Amino acid sequence: MISNNRIAIVNTATTFDDFKAKEALDLALIFASYEMPVALFFMADGVFQTKANQNPELIGNKDFIATFKALGFYDIDDIYICQDDMVERMVEGELSIDGAEILPRTQFKQTLNTYDLVLTF
């Protein structure tokens, strides 16, 4: 049964790329609302989602990134960002997610491999 498995949701898309980022966040919140252990991983272009102070209204989108503030309420505390991808994409400064752990690529992959179910967006 899936409820006993640890679920990793991997974000690889930019913040407003075909709704993938929003769908990944929605799925994480759904799993967590059923008390399933879920973690969020941000790699490749997904690291752009972690940048604070984005202004989606300028391009006509809603600010779903503000929902990251609710992750703790849903007990989603395991959040990992690939440091190498941040450096490659020059993502720096304040993060939109409190308590995220920034890991070098090797450690990021090792941590991801400890999860039973991996869903990539």
Side-chain angles (χ1 to χ4, degrees), residues 6 37 95:
R6 293 174 4 120
L95 297 177

Side-chain angles (χ1 to χ4, degrees), residues 43-100:
M43 63 180 288
D45 286 345
V47 299
F48 287 113
Q49 295 178 42
T50 67
K51 187 149 178 61
N53 303 317
Q54 297 186 43
N55 295 312
E57 298 83 13
L58 296 176
I59 59 171
N61 286 338
K62 292 186 178 183
D63 186 11
F64 75 89
I65 296 297
T67 308
F68 285 151
K69 292 179 176 78
L71 294 175
F73 176 76
Y74 285 86
D75 293 325
I76 301 176
D77 300 318
D78 297 329
I79 304 164
Y80 306 97
I81 306 169
C82 182
Q83 180 180 39
D84 298 279
D85 291 338
M86 289 179 76
V87 170
E88 288 170 9
R89 288 158 179 81
M90 295 181 280
V91 174
E92 54 188 31
E94 190 178 343
L95 297 177
S96 61
I97 304 172
D98 292 331

Side-chain angles (χ1 to χ4, degrees), residues 2 21 23 41 49 58 62 66 111 118:
I2 198 168
E23 290 171 354
F41 288 78
Q49 295 178 42
L58 296 176
K62 292 186 178 183
T111 303
V118 176

